[in-house]
Amino acid sequence: MGLYSLKLTEYGPNACQVSNTYPVFVGNTPQVSVPLNTDLDTLCAPFTVNLPISNVSGNIAGTTYTVVYSDGSATETYNHPPPPFITHTFTESSCGFTASVGTNTYADAYSIQVTAQNVCGNNIGISAPYRIASAPVSDFLLSANPLCITAPLDISSTADPGNNIGPQGCNQDHGQVWTITPSTGWTLQAGSLGTLNGQPNN
């Protein structure tokens, strides 16, 4: 099996002849398998997946493998044989994305699709769901800079709260806890610094 050349020659009654060569592919519909993501816990960005590619040993030269990431990353294409693993890093939250495997649909999740294809047909393997949360990023807006001694300073949070993904979907319901360093030389006139209530995570 594989890619062959077929040469056809036509002979005329006057001893003239003409030949044409055609490519001929002899093979079967290719196969490919990738595992489902059985770890349904929420993962934190950036998260790197090392996805094993299997069930390809029976495929022949001329088979290509196209990898599509539902996070919008660039599509990748490999010739046979494909690499044993495909490595991809999810850098953004999967909130708002939907992954589908057969009749199963997963909200707020990414997928990785691998398609094996040759002229005889194609087969698709899908790995999902990858639920990726994003960490918060702190940032502040100061009302005055520079500031004179004893003058009040308003500090407003402009933080990106990131995204949590839970049973009820995506949310940004994070409490904010403030710390001011050094802890002396100032007086809190309004507002609250919040508390972790003795817990390592709020």
Side-chain angles (χ1 to χ4, degrees), residues 86-138:
I86 293 173
T87 300
H88 180 71
T89 300
F90 292 109
T91 60
E92 302 291 338
S93 168
S94 60
C95 288
F97 288 81
T98 301
S100 297
V101 181
T103 58
N104 295 322
T105 300
Y106 305 94
D108 301 313
Y110 290 133
S111 64
I112 302 175
Q113 176 179 297
V114 181
T115 302
Q117 183 171 10
N118 60 32
V119 295
C120 291
N122 67 72
N123 263 309
I124 297 174
I126 301 176
S127 182
Y130 296 95
R131 292 189 172 96
I132 310 296
S134 60
V137 178
S138 63

Side-chain angles (χ1 to χ4, degrees), residues 44-61:
C44 291
F47 180 79
T48 299
V49 178
N50 292 306
L51 184 68
I53 306 299
S54 61
N55 196 26
V56 297
S57 60
N59 298 340
I60 60 178

Side-chain angles (χ1 to χ4, degrees), residues 152-155 178 180 186-193:
L153 172 65
D154 291 331
I155 306 174
W178 297 60
I180 302 176
W186 53 269
T187 301
L188 185 65
Q189 295 181 347
S192 170
L193 297 182

